[in-house]
Amino acid sequence: MGLFDIFKKKKQNDTSKKYELGMKKTRQGLMGKLKAILSGHKEIDEDLFDDLTDAFIMADIGVETTLDFIEALKEDERVEGLTNAEDLQPIIVDKMFELYLKGEIVNNNFNLQKNDLSVFLFVGVNGVGKTTTIAKIAYRLKKEGKKILLAAGDTFRAGAVDQLEVWANRVGVDIVIKKGATDPSSVIYEAVQKAKQEKYDVLLCDTAGRLQNKTNLMKELEKMNRVIAREVENGPHETILVIDATTGQNGLSQAEAFMEVTNITGVILTKLDGTSKGGIVLAIRDKYNLPIKMVGLGEKMEDLEYFDLEDYIGGLFIGSEDDTDA
Amino acid sequence: MPFENLSEKIQYSLRKLTGRGKVNEKDIDDAMREIRVSLLEADVNYKIVKEFINEVKELALGERVMKSLTPGDQVVKIVYEELIKLMGDEAVPINLKKSGTSIVLMVGLQGSGKTTHVGKLANYLRKNNKCKPLMIAADVYRPAAINQLVTIGKQLDIEVFQMGILAKPQAIVKNGLDYAKEKGYNLVLIDTAGRLAIDEVLMQELVEIKQIVNPDEILLTVDAMTGQDAVNVAMKFHEKLGITGCLLTKLDSDTRGGAALSIRYMTKIPIKFTGLGEKMDEIDVFHPERMAKRILGMGDVLTFIEKAQASFDEEEAMKMAEKMQAGRFTYNDFLDQIKKIKKMGSIKGLLGLIPGLGSQIKNLDIDEKKFVYIEALIGSMTKEERNNPDLINKSHARKSRIANGSGRSYQEINQLTKQFETMRAQMKSLMNMDEDQMEKVSKGQAPIPGMKPSKPKKGKGKNKGGFRF
């Protein structure tokens, strides 16, 4: 089938190697678990579909998305007439590509303005890795020759400003800090002014982690967004929702709530170097159409890669081939 | 309806059975299917869901249910009982030494809330267990993690032992422990860097720290929003370190927190504390039975009462009740209440603990900042006005003055006075309700008199929301 082939042919370069390394830490083989399930069943029956459902659920792909997917798989015309369970694998993988791509060409690249300031806003719940992700992106964009400015917009959490400052020094980029500030919008405002006057290419705005059910904090975020929109044409050019790979179904609620107050343009999935699969981003894509832009694979500033759908789907079913459980 | 919580879902699926008389196996199957999906959506591990459903179904198919006149009630009872079994039967207290220095080691994944909860726990144990705590900053990896703990220490006025980021964590904890003993601290809490359970090097570091300090408690902080992998993570940490308890953080989110069930069931590690917000006093001991009740929508009354008791003394409360009943409630009383409520934590969190209100408050738009505005408004009233709210109601001049003085708008003072009057009326009727009426209100079968069920706010204008509670 077409889509799958295109991705098969994708040339393997250095970045995707590293991407795999991060994901491979615990893996015996991409798709190992899927293969194990399929080879463990002689027939294509309800039992098999139940096991597949479990595998999807276990990867934290949303319950609704999973149930819909399995239903669609059962009814897929390519499945009709198949007798060997193992023949299902390419169909499953193909359908997962469809689930994510939805017939679109999904663009991972950041929306960078030519010869003008680009402003990126980073949002998410507490502890997902926003600050670290900003450092990683600053590092990457700086390497591409961009002049980068950071805005220390997390005025709430103890030590958050220091954390970003340490990163700014390590990466070698400038940072706007407003000591004692309690209104993050004022920090953002100052940073925007500085970025415009001193002709920075990219301004990366950090924000405090906030749970999506806290009305006040979501309003505060709305205001930051408004300040950027007012001060910079078409800004913010990217509003990135950072999601922790360990997140379960709550990821959906996060996406929905943050989309309500800001114009989320994409997701960065962090901590994918652990044992969690982060499947919830597939449900987020399925329900809210948000693309995954990048994935975080470690604590070093180099540990950030563009999202690679093929590797990602393979990683969802990491496991050894004799491993039908756990 | 994707964002309903577990209790609503289970209630819904079982309500269909309640009061229907005879049930057949298919009815039970239908209910089980809904419970299954709902548990999975709550992030309960899929294996546990399977076992749970099998157990419940078997029990539900027994004589007791099938022949019962109230099969729904019976199933509810079974689900409730099994859920409690799953959560562990009773609360497990923190294990501290009677004399000598108790040591608590905090471990977990990155971003689960270790540093914040080292602070919260130190504060909690100082207050409730009369401990003299020292916090040790042993996270040398995350930039500014030490600063974070030092800042928290300053806020709480609790000393932090640190040796910068160049020392090895093993050396830091050893020196910190010596320091604690020398200075007479009887409780030491150790903050460690977040790490992946599969990171051999960093896990070894924890093993060595454990050997050095011989902790009384090794607490694993777990984000309540964690998905299916929670069990894996807990197992791996447990295998390496012998975890003695879990601290479930970010439970003030709208997550359904199935991870708690999973960890408890699969690892048998008790959950000892829950984190409920970003403020330093937003921590509570974990009560499995209450949690199970909460999951079933029976409300967490005991926690509410305990929280309330910590902030209100009884005599004062009686006086207040009298005032409310007589409609003699003044702005001073109101201000007093606001301050007390603020001490107890977030309003929405509190309301969520009240039986029956759990599902009703979900759409309630509570803007906690409004309280600051109200305080400002009341602050701009004269003594007379505060004691005699009627003075303001009639006077345009007074209202203008208060608005100007507080820096809020005329509209806002207007809203406040209106709300205040409605509230007084509501209180009066609430206080004069008989037991039957109370019961209905608390079961959610009847609205609180004078209170309209709230709908999600539509308007985006600044003042459309008004003051709501």
Side-chain angles (χ1 to χ4, degrees):
Chain A
M1 183 63 190
L3 288 172
F4 190 32
D5 289 339
I6 291 168
F7 276 84
K8 264 188 179 161
K9 272 183 241 149
K10 178 182 62 75
K11 75 171 195 288
Q12 296 279 318
N13 53 25
D14 284 349
T15 37
S16 80
K17 281 247 175 58
K18 185 148 91 209
Y19 181 100
E20 277 185 37
L21 272 179
M23 300 246 298
K24 251 181 191 161
K25 272 187 184 164
T26 56
R27 122 173 82 180
Q28 287 90 357
L30 281 175
M31 298 291 173
K33 185 161 291 159
L34 188 59
K35 283 178 192 155
I37 292 170
L38 295 174
S39 61
H41 287 266
K42 291 201 184 76
E43 291 168 40
I44 299 174
D45 54 10
E46 278 305 308
D47 237 25
L48 170 66
F49 287 118
D50 279 353
D51 283 352
L52 287 173
T53 306
D54 286 346
F56 274 60
I57 296 278
M58 203 184 67
D60 283 321
I61 300 169
V63 180
E64 217 178 304
T65 301
T66 298
L67 296 179
D68 290 351
F69 184 91
I70 299 294
E71 247 355 272
L73 178 66
K74 282 183 197 168
E75 282 159 23
D76 195 297
E77 53 187 25
R78 287 169 291 179
V79 174
E80 224 170 286
L82 284 187
T83 47
N84 188 353
E86 282 175 302
D87 293 340
L88 277 178
Q89 189 185 329
I91 301 171
I92 291 171
V93 172
D94 199 56
K95 285 189 85 70
M96 292 195 74
F97 273 95
E98 283 169 27
L99 173 75
Y100 183 82
L101 295 171
K102 300 179 166 188
E104 295 170 20
I105 297 167
V106 183
N107 184 0
N108 283 3
N109 294 327
F110 288 126
N111 174 22
L112 286 165
Q113 307 303 295
K114 279 195 190 107
N115 309 319
D116 210 351
L117 174 65
S118 307
V119 183
F120 296 0
L121 183 63
F122 293 81
V123 304
V125 298
N126 313 65
V128 289
K130 286 177 292 301
T131 308
T132 310
T133 299
I134 287 173
K136 289 174 177 177
I137 290 177
Y139 169 78
R140 175 178 281 266
L141 292 177
K142 193 192 170 212
K143 257 196 354 197
E144 289 171 15
K146 300 275 189 285
K147 191 180 174 195
I148 312 287
L149 183 64
L150 310 184
D154 182 353
T155 53
F156 184 80
R157 179 170 64 85
V161 170
D162 304 326
Q163 186 180 348
L164 193 65
E165 195 177 11
V166 171
W167 276 119
N169 292 335
R170 272 191 207 169
V171 178
V173 293
D174 297 329
I175 179 169
V176 171
I177 290 171
K178 220 174 147 189
K179 287 266 183 251
T182 49
D183 180 8
S185 295
S186 73
V187 182
I188 304 278
Y189 178 82
E190 261 184 36
V192 169
Q193 300 313 320
K194 181 180 164 83
K196 284 201 287 197
Q197 276 156 20
E198 299 176 24
K199 302 255 176 284
Y200 282 87
D201 298 311
V202 185
L203 170 63
L204 305 173
C205 304
D206 194 13
T207 64
R210 63 201 73 225
L211 295 175
Q212 70 274 18
N213 54 341
K214 309 258 162 146
T215 314
N216 295 337
L217 296 177
M218 293 308 271
K219 279 188 182 154
E220 181 189 85
L221 181 63
E222 204 171 17
K223 186 175 165 195
M224 283 185 252
N225 186 48
R226 222 166 37 229
V227 167
I228 298 171
R230 193 183 62 209
E231 298 298 320
V232 186
E233 200 182 335
N234 298 324
H237 305 93
E238 292 280 356
T239 304
I240 302 292
L241 175 64
V242 183
I243 295 223
D244 184 330
T246 59
T247 311
Q249 305 295 306
N250 193 253
L252 287 171
S253 159
Q254 291 171 22
E256 187 182 69
F258 280 100
M259 284 172 80
E260 256 174 45
V261 294
T262 57
N263 176 28
I264 302 289
T265 54
V267 169
I268 290 184
L269 183 62
T270 60
K271 311 185 197 175
L272 204 56
D273 49 331
T275 45
S276 304
K277 310 291 192 290
I280 197 62
V281 293
L282 284 181
I284 290 174
R285 169 72 186 167
D286 182 32
K287 289 192 93 161
Y288 301 112
N289 233 356
L290 291 180
I292 306 151
K293 296 250 173 183
M294 303 191 94
V295 294
L297 297 157
E299 294 190 302
K300 292 193 296 295
M301 54 187 156
E302 305 85 24
D303 296 336
L304 183 76
E305 298 300 340
Y306 280 105
F307 176 70
D308 181 308
L309 184 57
E310 187 184 359
D311 279 341
Y312 178 73
I313 290 175
L316 283 172
F317 302 111
I318 280 172
S320 63
E321 299 202 11
D322 52 60
D323 175 19
T324 46
D325 214 47
Chain B
M1 295 179 282
F3 296 126
E4 276 175 317
N5 62 35
L6 179 56
S7 57
E8 284 173 11
K9 272 276 177 106
I10 293 185
Q11 274 179 327
Y12 180 74
S13 62
L14 294 173
R15 197 172 296 141
K16 286 196 286 193
L17 286 182
T18 308
R20 257 203 24 209
K22 279 193 177 163
V23 285
N24 54 36
E25 189 170 343
K26 196 186 160 292
D27 292 330
I28 301 275
D29 273 341
D30 286 349
M32 293 305 135
R33 195 165 306 125
E34 296 211 38
I35 295 173
R36 173 172 177 264
V37 169
S38 129
L39 287 169
L40 286 174
E41 283 183 343
D43 290 320
V44 178
N45 185 278
Y46 74 101
K47 283 185 209 160
I48 299 169
V49 173
K50 254 190 195 159
E51 285 179 34
F52 184 75
I53 295 295
N54 284 341
E55 278 167 42
V56 171
K57 192 186 166 189
E58 203 163 299
L59 291 167
L61 285 174
E63 295 264 300
R64 193 173 88 172
V65 173
M66 302 301 276
K67 289 203 171 157
S68 163
L69 286 174
T70 53
D73 293 350
Q74 296 294 336
V75 175
V76 173
K77 196 157 172 267
I78 292 168
V79 172
Y80 172 57
E81 284 167 358
E82 289 303 300
L83 216 48
I84 287 182
K85 241 194 244 171
L86 209 72
M87 303 296 307
D89 284 327
E90 51 190 44
V92 181
I94 188 161
N95 177 30
L96 299 176
K97 285 194 188 80
K98 291 232 164 61
S99 62
T101 310
S102 302
I103 293 150
V104 177
L105 181 63
M106 201 77 98
V107 301
L109 296 178
Q110 291 95 337
S112 53
K114 284 173 298 303
T115 309
T116 306
H117 283 86
V118 162
K120 282 192 196 175
L121 197 56
N123 186 37
Y124 178 90
L125 293 173
R126 178 174 61 180
K127 192 175 156 203
N128 295 287
N129 296 42
K130 305 276 178 272
C131 289
K132 194 181 169 205
L134 172 76
M135 305 191 283
I136 297 180
D139 178 358
V140 297
Y141 306 107
R142 180 164 60 92
I146 295 176
N147 286 5
Q148 184 181 352
L149 193 64
V150 168
T151 308
I152 289 172
K154 272 187 199 144
Q155 276 171 26
L156 295 171
D157 196 22
I158 292 174
E159 190 174 1
V160 174
F161 180 88
Q162 59 122 335
M163 292 167 63
I165 56 168
L166 297 176
K168 285 186 81 175
Q170 291 92 327
I172 296 173
V173 295
K174 190 172 182 306
N175 286 305
L177 201 58
D178 290 343
Y179 180 82
K181 283 176 179 160
E182 186 188 304
K183 294 275 174 177
Y185 287 104
N186 64 1
L187 172 66
V188 172
L189 297 116
I190 302 168
D191 183 28
T192 63
R195 65 202 71 212
L196 295 169
I198 51 170
D199 188 326
E200 297 290 338
V201 179
L202 286 181
M203 288 308 282
Q204 182 56 31
E205 179 194 285
L206 284 182
V207 171
E208 285 167 27
I209 289 177
K210 182 188 171 184
Q211 280 162 0
I212 294 167
V213 302
N214 190 22
D216 300 271
E217 287 275 4
I218 303 178
L219 297 181
L220 178 71
T221 56
V222 180
D223 187 326
M225 295 179 278
T226 309
Q228 295 286 324
D229 204 37
V231 168
N232 257 331
V233 172
M235 294 276 229
K236 290 218 166 72
F237 270 93
H238 192 42
E239 271 166 30
K240 286 262 161 56
L241 294 166
I243 301 297
T244 60
C246 272
L247 200 159
L248 195 65
T249 63
K250 306 179 203 175
L251 209 58
D252 51 324
S253 66
D254 59 2
T255 185
R256 283 160 266 178
L261 292 172
S262 310
I263 291 173
R264 173 67 208 181
Y265 187 78
M266 296 288 270
T267 64
K268 303 286 176 278
I269 302 168
I271 295 160
K272 295 198 169 174
F273 291 95
T274 52
L276 300 158
E278 297 193 68
K279 290 202 201 80
M280 277 298 135
D281 57 356
E282 290 179 319
I283 184 169
D284 196 4
V285 284
F286 180 77
H287 301 284
E289 194 177 341
R290 293 183 199 175
M291 181 87 172
K293 276 189 182 164
R294 205 155 143 171
I295 287 166
L296 281 171
M298 291 154 91
D300 189 354
V301 203
L302 287 174
T303 302
F304 178 75
I305 292 171
E306 270 174 18
K307 278 202 153 194
Q309 269 171 352
S311 305
F312 291 85
D313 82 65
E314 206 178 328
E315 204 176 317
E316 223 180 296
M318 288 304 287
K319 266 192 212 155
M320 194 59 76
E322 266 171 39
K323 276 189 171 177
M324 287 179 179
Q325 207 160 3
R328 276 191 287 110
F329 192 68
T330 69
Y331 279 111
N332 272 331
D333 300 326
F334 188 33
L335 200 59
D336 236 39
Q337 298 296 309
I338 290 177
K339 284 190 180 137
K340 286 199 177 112
I341 288 169
K342 271 165 88 181
K343 248 202 267 170
M344 286 163 66
S346 85
I347 309 290
K348 207 163 177 174
L350 279 173
L351 290 178
L353 301 174
I354 301 174
L357 279 185
S359 55
Q360 293 183 17
I361 61 153
K362 203 173 57 188
N363 294 326
L364 201 61
D365 188 13
I366 297 169
D367 186 347
E368 315 245 345
K369 217 171 180 173
K370 289 270 160 67
F371 286 107
V372 180
Y373 302 154
I374 296 176
E375 282 178 273
L377 285 165
I378 299 180
S380 293
M381 294 174 189
T382 65
K383 262 188 200 163
E384 247 189 318
E385 285 164 349
R386 285 188 226 177
N387 282 323
N388 186 358
D390 295 333
L391 281 178
I392 309 169
N393 290 347
K394 294 163 200 146
S395 167
H396 173 69
R398 283 182 196 265
K399 282 184 189 169
S400 296
R401 197 204 71 244
I402 293 166
N404 283 334
S406 61
R408 307 308 311 168
S409 65
Y410 188 82
Q411 266 171 313
E412 278 170 281
I413 178 69
N414 236 347
Q415 268 170 359
L416 175 64
T417 52
K418 270 188 209 140
Q419 293 269 341
F420 187 78
E421 285 316 313
T422 337
M423 198 169 59
R424 275 215 288 191
Q426 279 171 3
M427 278 175 183
K428 215 171 155 183
S429 57
L430 200 63
M431 299 311 288
N432 293 323
M433 264 196 286
D434 60 33
E435 266 177 43
D436 259 16
Q437 285 171 305
M438 276 287 201
E439 177 94 13
K440 273 186 188 156
V441 169
S442 74
K443 278 185 177 163
Q445 291 161 338
I448 295 171
M451 199 192 235
K452 282 183 210 115
S454 72
K455 286 182 198 127
K457 198 168 74 171
K458 286 272 150 55
K460 281 213 164 145
K462 224 179 176 177
N463 293 312
K464 289 233 174 81
F467 298 111
R468 301 190 198 192
F469 313 99

